[in-house]
Amino acid sequence: MGIGLVAGLLALAGCGLSYPSETIRYRMTVDINTPDGLRSGSNVIASTITAGPGFGDASGIAYRLRGEAVAVPLPSGRMLFAVPAPEKGGDAGAYHAGLMQRAACRKGRPTARPDPRLCGKTFRRWAREQTLAVELSPSDYPILLIFRDGTDPKSFQRVSPADFASVFGPGYALRGVTLRVTDEDITTGIEKKLGWIGGYRNKTFAGNRFGVDNSPADSLGTGSFSMELGE
């Protein structure tokens, strides 16, 4: 390898390392009322925002998400999953990049309401100092679903946050979804609950290499449930 090429690679590496990056880690908890009492599940997720060089209309902002879906054990052996992506659709990384800030500054119920001047670039630092907790607004809920057959990924069924009874029967309701800043380890191990999940690293639940038909099954894969396994 020539000296000039080595120097160029070192310069690029130096530039990459100089880009500012901000990470926040929080525990997402999903609480569900059932006829047998409250059922809860929680996972630790990390959201990173990195600012790089912008090109044309591109901002240069990159998002990275680590963690996995929240699993909530329900009576009769059923399991509800909260996929860390927006219930209304969209990119999971971008969703989590602003999720806690939206909940604290505008839509949710935080344990401490920030000064409006903090609702920007300094929010994450302030949230970590406060060990902030927020209850999400329904408009910011993640995707909720079950698998009617735990061995078949195509058997998933979306669950409306406002209508648990239509899927589970009387006495079931979503109590809420909360986030709490933490320094705990990121949660892993969802493959113990979904043994087949690793088989969809390079294809969607519909069997396609990329989502091609906008069907619900074509929007989900390994990376929807575990960012670690999906990489």
Side-chain angles (χ1 to χ4, degrees):
M1 184 180 292
I3 294 176
L5 180 56
V6 172
L9 291 174
L10 289 173
L12 286 173
C15 289
L17 290 173
S18 70
Y19 297 147
S21 179
E22 186 77 45
T23 297
I24 193 166
R25 189 176 296 196
Y26 45 70
R27 180 171 290 279
M28 175 180 276
T29 300
V30 179
D31 293 320
I32 301 170
N33 290 324
T34 81
D36 294 341
L38 181 67
R39 294 290 187 271
S40 300
S42 68
N43 276 354
V44 176
I45 294 170
S47 166
T48 299
I49 304 174
T50 302
F55 298 98
D57 293 334
S59 66
I61 303 297
Y63 307 116
R64 187 186 182 204
L65 191 62
R66 298 181 61 202
E68 61 185 33
V70 176
V72 186
L74 298 176
S76 303
R78 289 177 290 186
M79 186 85 69
L80 178 101
F81 292 93
V83 177
E87 198 265 337
K88 293 185 176 180
D91 178 74
Y95 163 67
H96 279 274
L99 183 59
M100 179 166 264
Q101 181 172 318
R102 281 194 305 276
C105 295
R106 291 188 293 158
K107 296 182 176 182
R109 297 172 59 189
T111 50
R113 184 75 67 178
D115 185 296
R117 291 172 295 181
L118 294 170
C119 293
K121 293 181 179 179
T122 60
F123 172 79
R124 288 185 163 200
R125 186 183 316 138
W126 174 84
R128 288 195 300 270
E129 292 171 352
Q130 298 289 323
T131 315
L132 186 67
V134 296
E135 182 178 340
L136 297 185
S137 161
S139 63
D140 274 329
Y141 283 162
I143 294 171
L144 304 174
L145 58 80
I146 61 169
F147 292 96
R148 294 185 298 276
D149 178 350
T151 66
D152 180 7
K154 292 183 180 179
S155 72
F156 76 90
Q157 179 180 355
R158 293 278 293 265
V159 180
S160 168
D163 191 14
F164 267 49
S166 67
V167 175
F168 300 109
Y172 285 86
L174 177 63
R175 177 178 288 189
V177 181
T178 58
L179 310 177
R180 180 178 293 276
V181 171
T182 184
D183 58 3
E184 298 174 83
D185 291 339
I186 294 165
T187 304
T188 59
I190 198 169
E191 64 274 16
K192 297 175 182 178
K193 300 178 178 72
L194 299 172
W196 43 260
I197 194 67
Y200 289 83
R201 284 186 175 91
N202 298 312
K203 60 184 177 180
T204 69
F205 287 175
N208 298 317
R209 178 67 179 85
F210 302 103
V212 296
D213 60 12
N214 294 321
S215 68
D218 223 20
S219 66
L220 297 173
T222 297
S224 306
F225 288 79
S226 171
M227 278 55 71
E228 315 305 300
L229 293 176
E231 290 183 342

